[in-house]
Amino acid sequence: MDPDLSAPHSMGTTIIGVTYDGGVVLGADSRTSTGMYVANRASDKITQLTDNVYVCRSGSAADSQILSDYVRYFLNQHTIQLGQPATVKVAANLVRLFSYQNKNMLQTGLIIGGWDKYEGGQIYSVPLGGTVLKQPFTIGGSGSSYLYGFFDQAWKDGMSKDEAEKLVVKAVSLAIARDGASGGVVRTVTINAEGVTRNFYSGNSLPLWHEELEPRNSMLDILLSGASPEPMSI
Amino acid sequence: MAGSYGSTLRYKNVERIKSIGKHTLLGASGEVSDFQEILRYLDELIIYDDMWDDGNSLGPKEVHNYLTRVMYNRRNKFDPLFNSLVVGGVKNGQKYLGMVGMIGTHYEDNHVATGFGNHLARPLMRAEWHEDMSFEEAVKLLEKCLLVLLYRDRSAINKFQIAKITEVGVTISEPYALKTFWGFLAFQNPTKGAEGSW
């Protein structure tokens, strides 16, 4: 089975946006694939639009990048003209305009999340056709299929920042366990009145799920070794 | 050890290495149902051979040849078995290692691989394999290959088995996971200074 290395780059992906009491938490995996090959195992799918608004990208890597570039450009102009930070609603609507008006050409699902002084933390879902929906939480990307049941059970209103972040990390990690198109590390971005915080949860620090095993340095170890592996060298 | 269902990693405990008779190990990638069918064919082959009770038993060369014929014949009927197979073993002190693909492509070498392994593992093995490696060296080389494949093949999961066959006998290891490395500085904030890129 020859890998199709000229297949368009798609971010199979798991992306999540969750509001909590005071702000939002955005989460994503880090796998970008070309067919069955993992082109980038540590991608950053949570992209900045303004100081206070970020977007989670899924679907075609090219489409989502160019769309977010355009939106960032126009939002930047808008911020200057307005004289104050753009609101999350305006950012979401701009994304919608691009998504909807070019729906025949684009293949990207996005989650906009941010904080502004008027409405606090907000999450907007902009799936494939250009619909906009404001939601307390939303999931997207191919890995999200495995999370509908999980969120039905685990989501509750009025969570704290730590609860929300833990939920997001757990969810992305569960999706990575079952979706071949998602993988790598879990990145989160938390946005609130205080500002923006980026976090990084790497493979070894994520919990183990059903039929997953504790990683070891080698089969040759009889006891669990404490040391981490070195980066590869030839 | 993965059994995928499209892009879903559906089954995470599939044993893809089996021992055949006394002298052979068979590893398979691709469609699990076809591999199970192949195991049934080989079972029949081994049993009928054993019934002769003549002291002879089929070795890895014979198993490899048989599988090549099976795969190629199915290919000719436009009804292939969707597997790539690795056949290895020792008989009368002679080591043997070969590969058969779903269209009947077959060869014998000191190191073989299937699927993505052809692109990622074989170059590593070409560089580092040498005659008279110790078991430890061989395991280290295999694990190096397995790790690259875990990073770069979408259908891979962090669960492996390594099997060894010698004149004395067969051992197939218990499933185990490898530690992965994510500590590159560049992984922390890859889009710093280039917002909107990867």
Side-chain angles (χ1 to χ4, degrees):
Chain A
M1 243 119 288
D2 251 10
D4 185 10
L5 292 166
S6 53
H9 283 34
S10 109
M11 301 171 306
T13 305
T14 307
I15 49 175
I16 301 179
V18 144
T19 58
Y20 70 91
D21 182 26
V24 298
V25 180
L26 298 175
D29 73 305
S30 71
R31 179 172 283 189
T32 303
S33 28
T34 338
M36 287 298 269
Y37 178 66
V38 177
N40 190 345
R41 65 176 171 113
S43 3
D44 183 10
K45 303 182 189 182
I46 310 178
T47 304
Q48 189 189 28
L49 293 179
T50 68
D51 288 340
N52 55 317
V53 182
Y54 279 67
V55 61
C56 294
R57 303 180 288 111
S58 76
S60 157
D63 287 351
S64 65
Q65 278 178 9
I66 201 74
L67 195 154
S68 69
D69 283 350
Y70 269 114
V71 171
R72 189 179 317 113
Y73 171 72
F74 285 113
L75 268 179
N76 188 235
Q77 278 192 342
H78 170 67
T79 304
I80 293 167
Q81 290 170 348
L82 196 64
Q84 59 182 38
T87 59
V88 188
K89 189 183 285 190
V90 163
N93 192 48
L94 246 183
V95 172
R96 177 192 73 83
L97 280 173
F98 279 105
S99 264
Y100 181 73
Q101 287 171 2
N102 297 293
K103 63 160 76 191
N104 294 322
M105 290 188 285
L106 294 173
Q107 203 183 78
T108 167
L110 304 145
I111 298 178
I112 296 99
W115 184 95
D116 61 47
K117 67 185 187 195
Y118 300 105
E119 308 220 20
Q122 300 142 73
I123 292 285
Y124 292 88
S125 173
V126 182
L128 245 43
T131 315
V132 207
L133 285 168
K134 181 170 187 292
Q135 301 186 297
F137 75 91
T138 191
I139 55 180
S142 58
S144 67
S145 311
Y146 309 94
L147 296 176
Y148 285 96
F150 174 71
F151 271 92
D152 280 348
Q153 193 223 42
W155 162 261
K156 37 187 195 3
D157 214 358
M159 286 189 288
S160 72
K161 176 162 79 94
D162 284 338
E163 285 179 314
E165 178 130 5
K166 281 196 168 60
L167 182 67
V168 168
V169 173
K170 188 174 181 184
V172 179
S173 158
L174 278 168
I176 287 175
R178 287 294 183 177
D179 181 26
S182 301
V185 304
V186 180
R187 296 194 194 274
T188 62
V189 171
T190 307
I191 313 171
N192 50 35
E194 281 80 61
V196 177
T197 322
R198 264 193 179 281
N199 272 315
F200 170 93
Y201 300 86
S202 82
N204 299 317
S205 73
L206 297 171
L208 291 172
W209 304 117
H210 181 53
E211 291 191 314
E212 289 187 344
L213 302 169
E214 194 68 55
R216 294 194 249 163
N217 281 322
S218 163
M219 189 188 85
L220 299 170
D221 297 344
I222 303 162
L223 299 160
L224 267 160
S225 168
S228 299
E230 298 286 304
M232 270 180 44
S233 56
I234 301 270
Chain B
M1 292 204 72
S4 298
Y5 187 67
S7 61
T8 306
L9 305 167
R10 186 143 183 216
Y11 301 106
K12 297 197 164 185
N13 224 342
V14 181
E15 291 196 4
R16 302 200 281 121
I17 307 181
K18 293 286 183 186
S19 78
I20 313 292
K22 289 182 284 193
H23 306 285
T24 319
L25 276 176
L26 177 64
S29 82
E31 174 63 37
V32 178
S33 64
D34 286 345
F35 178 50
Q36 290 176 341
E37 193 68 3
I38 287 170
L39 291 175
R40 286 178 160 274
Y41 287 146
L42 287 171
D43 215 22
E44 202 175 303
L45 186 77
I46 298 290
I47 288 172
Y48 273 95
D49 178 57
D50 198 45
M51 276 171 22
W52 288 103
D53 199 20
D54 57 3
N56 192 315
S57 50
L58 292 172
K61 251 193 225 255
E62 290 81 56
V63 171
H64 186 213
N65 180 249
Y66 174 76
L67 288 172
T68 303
R69 289 300 106 219
V70 168
M71 302 301 268
Y72 184 62
N73 267 277
R74 288 290 294 258
R75 167 261 191 196
N76 285 339
K77 294 194 285 184
F78 284 94
D79 182 23
L81 292 161
F82 261 76
N83 296 112
S84 289
L85 306 165
V86 168
V87 188
V90 189
K91 188 173 158 192
N92 297 333
Q94 289 260 27
K95 295 180 289 198
Y96 186 86
L97 183 62
M99 200 280 313
V100 193
M102 69 186 256
I103 55 172
T105 312
H106 60 282
Y107 65 93
E108 185 208 324
D109 205 344
N110 290 312
H111 38 78
V112 298
T114 63
F116 263 89
N118 281 303
H119 300 94
L120 299 172
R122 282 175 77 198
L124 284 172
M125 295 192 287
R126 249 178 240 136
E128 300 192 12
W129 184 89
H130 56 87
E131 203 69 62
D132 299 320
M133 285 173 83
S134 68
F135 174 68
E136 284 71 30
E137 285 181 299
V139 168
K140 285 229 146 60
L141 177 56
L142 277 181
E143 287 182 340
K144 196 169 183 175
C145 296
L146 288 174
L147 200 56
V148 174
L149 291 166
L150 177 61
Y151 288 140
R152 295 294 176 177
D153 182 356
R154 260 174 54 163
S155 57
I157 61 167
N158 196 354
K159 210 171 185 188
F160 306 104
Q161 284 182 303
I162 292 194
K164 173 173 91 161
I165 183 164
T166 61
E167 191 68 49
V168 172
V170 169
T171 34
I172 304 179
S173 77
E174 277 302 294
Y176 72 102
L178 285 171
K179 282 191 184 164
T180 52
F181 185 74
W182 302 91
F184 294 107
L185 209 57
F187 281 10
Q188 295 287 333
N189 230 333
T191 59
K192 199 175 176 128
E195 210 54 62
S197 68
W198 284 7

mmCIF file of all heavy atoms in Angstrom, chain B residues 97-119:
data_model
loop_
_atom_site.group_PDB
_atom_site.id
_atom_site.type_symbol
_atom_site.label_atom_id
_atom_site.label_comp_id
_atom_site.label_asym_id
_atom_site.label_seq_id
_atom_site.Cartn_x
_atom_site.Cartn_y
_atom_site.Cartn_z
ATOM 1 N N LEU B 97 14.036 -15.736 6.077
ATOM 2 C CA LEU B 97 13.114 -14.605 6.275
ATOM 3 C C LEU B 97 12.615 -14.156 4.922
ATOM 4 O O LEU B 97 13.400 -13.902 4.007
ATOM 5 C CB LEU B 97 13.830 -13.450 6.970
ATOM 6 C CG LEU B 97 12.975 -12.219 7.318
ATOM 7 C CD1 LEU B 97 11.868 -12.578 8.293
ATOM 8 C CD2 LEU B 97 13.843 -11.121 7.899
ATOM 9 N N GLY B 98 11.289 -14.063 4.768
ATOM 10 C CA GLY B 98 10.738 -13.653 3.482
ATOM 11 C C GLY B 98 9.477 -12.842 3.644
ATOM 12 O O GLY B 98 8.951 -12.702 4.747
ATOM 13 N N MET B 99 9.003 -12.294 2.512
ATOM 14 C CA MET B 99 7.796 -11.459 2.512
ATOM 15 C C MET B 99 6.924 -11.874 1.338
ATOM 16 O O MET B 99 7.440 -12.225 0.275
ATOM 17 C CB MET B 99 8.223 -9.995 2.356
ATOM 18 C CG MET B 99 7.236 -8.927 2.787
ATOM 19 S SD MET B 99 5.892 -8.494 1.648
ATOM 20 C CE MET B 99 6.689 -8.290 0.106
ATOM 21 N N VAL B 100 5.603 -11.852 1.519
ATOM 22 C CA VAL B 100 4.662 -12.050 0.399
ATOM 23 C C VAL B 100 3.628 -10.951 0.454
ATOM 24 O O VAL B 100 3.047 -10.710 1.511
ATOM 25 C CB VAL B 100 3.870 -13.373 0.510
ATOM 26 C CG1 VAL B 100 3.178 -13.679 -0.803
ATOM 27 C CG2 VAL B 100 4.752 -14.504 0.947
ATOM 28 N N GLY B 101 3.369 -10.317 -0.704
ATOM 29 C CA GLY B 101 2.353 -9.273 -0.749
ATOM 30 C C GLY B 101 1.033 -9.794 -1.290
ATOM 31 O O GLY B 101 0.928 -10.946 -1.704
ATOM 32 N N MET B 102 0.026 -8.918 -1.315
ATOM 33 C CA MET B 102 -1.312 -9.363 -1.694
ATOM 34 C C MET B 102 -1.446 -9.698 -3.172
ATOM 35 O O MET B 102 -2.394 -10.353 -3.579
ATOM 36 C CB MET B 102 -2.361 -8.328 -1.298
ATOM 37 C CG MET B 102 -2.318 -7.045 -2.077
ATOM 38 S SD MET B 102 -3.484 -5.869 -1.382
ATOM 39 C CE MET B 102 -4.817 -5.926 -2.538
ATOM 40 N N ILE B 103 -0.474 -9.215 -3.990
ATOM 41 C CA ILE B 103 -0.552 -9.593 -5.398
ATOM 42 C C ILE B 103 0.425 -10.703 -5.748
ATOM 43 O O ILE B 103 0.602 -11.043 -6.913
ATOM 44 C CB ILE B 103 -0.340 -8.375 -6.327
ATOM 45 C CG1 ILE B 103 0.978 -7.660 -6.009
ATOM 46 C CG2 ILE B 103 -1.506 -7.419 -6.220
ATOM 47 C CD1 ILE B 103 1.323 -6.569 -7.024
ATOM 48 N N GLY B 104 1.068 -11.257 -4.702
ATOM 49 C CA GLY B 104 1.964 -12.383 -4.962
ATOM 50 C C GLY B 104 3.422 -11.989 -5.068
ATOM 51 O O GLY B 104 4.294 -12.839 -5.284
ATOM 52 N N THR B 105 3.702 -10.693 -4.924
ATOM 53 C CA THR B 105 5.103 -10.251 -4.894
ATOM 54 C C THR B 105 5.778 -10.929 -3.715
ATOM 55 O O THR B 105 5.253 -10.909 -2.611
ATOM 56 C CB THR B 105 5.173 -8.722 -4.668
ATOM 57 O OG1 THR B 105 4.279 -8.087 -5.557
ATOM 58 C CG2 THR B 105 6.574 -8.210 -4.879
ATOM 59 N N HIS B 106 6.933 -11.495 -3.943
ATOM 60 C CA HIS B 106 7.602 -12.184 -2.839
ATOM 61 C C HIS B 106 9.109 -12.062 -2.970
ATOM 62 O O HIS B 106 9.638 -11.951 -4.079
ATOM 63 C CB HIS B 106 7.211 -13.663 -2.814
ATOM 64 C CG HIS B 106 7.581 -14.391 -4.070
ATOM 65 N ND1 HIS B 106 6.846 -14.282 -5.223
ATOM 66 C CD2 HIS B 106 8.611 -15.218 -4.339
ATOM 67 C CE1 HIS B 106 7.405 -15.036 -6.162
ATOM 68 N NE2 HIS B 106 8.487 -15.607 -5.662
ATOM 69 N N TYR B 107 9.777 -12.014 -1.832
ATOM 70 C CA TYR B 107 11.231 -12.038 -1.840
ATOM 71 C C TYR B 107 11.756 -12.471 -0.492
ATOM 72 O O TYR B 107 10.991 -12.566 0.479
ATOM 73 C CB TYR B 107 11.819 -10.675 -2.232
ATOM 74 C CG TYR B 107 11.542 -9.559 -1.254
ATOM 75 C CD1 TYR B 107 12.436 -9.249 -0.237
ATOM 76 C CD2 TYR B 107 10.381 -8.787 -1.363
ATOM 77 C CE1 TYR B 107 12.183 -8.231 0.656
ATOM 78 C CE2 TYR B 107 10.123 -7.767 -0.475
ATOM 79 C CZ TYR B 107 11.022 -7.483 0.525
ATOM 80 O OH TYR B 107 10.764 -6.467 1.419
ATOM 81 N N GLU B 108 13.060 -12.721 -0.458
ATOM 82 C CA GLU B 108 13.708 -13.208 0.745
ATOM 83 C C GLU B 108 14.867 -12.277 1.047
ATOM 84 O O GLU B 108 15.567 -11.846 0.143
ATOM 85 C CB GLU B 108 14.236 -14.610 0.435
ATOM 86 C CG GLU B 108 14.839 -15.339 1.579
ATOM 87 C CD GLU B 108 15.887 -16.335 1.093
ATOM 88 O OE1 GLU B 108 15.655 -16.925 0.011
ATOM 89 O OE2 GLU B 108 16.908 -16.498 1.773
ATOM 90 N N ASP B 109 15.040 -11.914 2.304
ATOM 91 C CA ASP B 109 16.128 -10.971 2.626
ATOM 92 C C ASP B 109 16.435 -11.062 4.121
ATOM 93 O O ASP B 109 15.747 -11.749 4.868
ATOM 94 C CB ASP B 109 15.688 -9.541 2.259
ATOM 95 C CG ASP B 109 16.892 -8.627 1.985
ATOM 96 O OD1 ASP B 109 18.025 -8.993 2.356
ATOM 97 O OD2 ASP B 109 16.677 -7.548 1.401
ATOM 98 N N ASN B 110 17.454 -10.329 4.535
ATOM 99 C CA ASN B 110 17.824 -10.320 5.952
ATOM 100 C C ASN B 110 16.910 -9.426 6.776
ATOM 101 O O ASN B 110 16.890 -9.508 7.993
ATOM 102 C CB ASN B 110 19.260 -9.838 6.122
ATOM 103 C CG ASN B 110 20.258 -10.847 5.600
ATOM 104 O OD1 ASN B 110 20.154 -12.039 5.913
ATOM 105 N ND2 ASN B 110 21.202 -10.396 4.790
ATOM 106 N N HIS B 111 16.209 -8.528 6.095
ATOM 107 C CA HIS B 111 15.242 -7.693 6.792
ATOM 108 C C HIS B 111 14.103 -7.364 5.840
ATOM 109 O O HIS B 111 14.314 -7.006 4.692
ATOM 110 C CB HIS B 111 15.881 -6.405 7.324
ATOM 111 C CG HIS B 111 16.896 -5.810 6.398
ATOM 112 N ND1 HIS B 111 16.554 -5.078 5.289
ATOM 113 C CD2 HIS B 111 18.251 -5.842 6.429
ATOM 114 C CE1 HIS B 111 17.654 -4.691 4.671
ATOM 115 N NE2 HIS B 111 18.693 -5.135 5.343
ATOM 116 N N VAL B 112 12.887 -7.528 6.323
ATOM 117 C CA VAL B 112 11.699 -7.284 5.488
ATOM 118 C C VAL B 112 10.710 -6.435 6.267
ATOM 119 O O VAL B 112 10.812 -6.299 7.490
ATOM 120 C CB VAL B 112 11.022 -8.607 5.072
ATOM 121 C CG1 VAL B 112 11.952 -9.449 4.241
ATOM 122 C CG2 VAL B 112 10.540 -9.362 6.290
ATOM 123 N N ALA B 113 9.747 -5.873 5.533
ATOM 124 C CA ALA B 113 8.723 -5.065 6.195
ATOM 125 C C ALA B 113 7.477 -5.024 5.327
ATOM 126 O O ALA B 113 7.522 -5.370 4.143
ATOM 127 C CB ALA B 113 9.239 -3.652 6.434
ATOM 128 N N THR B 114 6.365 -4.578 5.936
ATOM 129 C CA THR B 114 5.129 -4.430 5.170
ATOM 130 C C THR B 114 4.661 -2.982 5.272
ATOM 131 O O THR B 114 5.045 -2.246 6.174
ATOM 132 C CB THR B 114 4.010 -5.324 5.728
ATOM 133 O OG1 THR B 114 3.716 -4.907 7.069
ATOM 134 C CG2 THR B 114 4.416 -6.774 5.721
ATOM 135 N N GLY B 115 3.803 -2.592 4.329
ATOM 136 C CA GLY B 115 3.140 -1.287 4.390
ATOM 137 C C GLY B 115 4.119 -0.127 4.521
ATOM 138 O O GLY B 115 5.084 -0.008 3.769
ATOM 139 N N PHE B 116 3.833 0.739 5.484
ATOM 140 C CA PHE B 116 4.690 1.891 5.725
ATOM 141 C C PHE B 116 6.099 1.505 6.120
ATOM 142 O O PHE B 116 7.039 2.276 5.925
ATOM 143 C CB PHE B 116 4.097 2.781 6.832
ATOM 144 C CG PHE B 116 3.317 3.933 6.302
ATOM 145 C CD1 PHE B 116 1.969 3.814 6.042
ATOM 146 C CD2 PHE B 116 3.942 5.137 6.022
ATOM 147 C CE1 PHE B 116 1.262 4.872 5.520
ATOM 148 C CE2 PHE B 116 3.238 6.206 5.508
ATOM 149 C CZ PHE B 116 1.883 6.063 5.255
ATOM 150 N N GLY B 117 6.233 0.322 6.660
ATOM 151 C CA GLY B 117 7.550 -0.177 7.043
ATOM 152 C C GLY B 117 8.512 -0.200 5.876
ATOM 153 O O GLY B 117 9.716 -0.003 6.030
ATOM 154 N N ASN B 118 7.957 -0.413 4.661
ATOM 155 C CA ASN B 118 8.821 -0.420 3.481
ATOM 156 C C ASN B 118 9.513 0.925 3.296
ATOM 157 O O ASN B 118 10.660 0.988 2.870
ATOM 158 C CB ASN B 118 7.999 -0.741 2.221
ATOM 159 C CG ASN B 118 7.722 -2.223 2.103
ATOM 160 O OD1 ASN B 118 8.635 -3.028 2.083
ATOM 161 N ND2 ASN B 118 6.450 -2.595 2.050
ATOM 162 N N HIS B 119 8.789 1.995 3.638
ATOM 163 C CA HIS B 119 9.343 3.335 3.424
ATOM 164 C C HIS B 119 10.113 3.861 4.612
ATOM 165 O O HIS B 119 11.067 4.624 4.454
ATOM 166 C CB HIS B 119 8.205 4.313 3.103
ATOM 167 C CG HIS B 119 7.456 3.937 1.875
ATOM 168 N ND1 HIS B 119 6.318 3.174 1.899
ATOM 169 C CD2 HIS B 119 7.702 4.191 0.572
ATOM 170 C CE1 HIS B 119 5.889 2.978 0.659
ATOM 171 N NE2 HIS B 119 6.713 3.590 -0.165
#
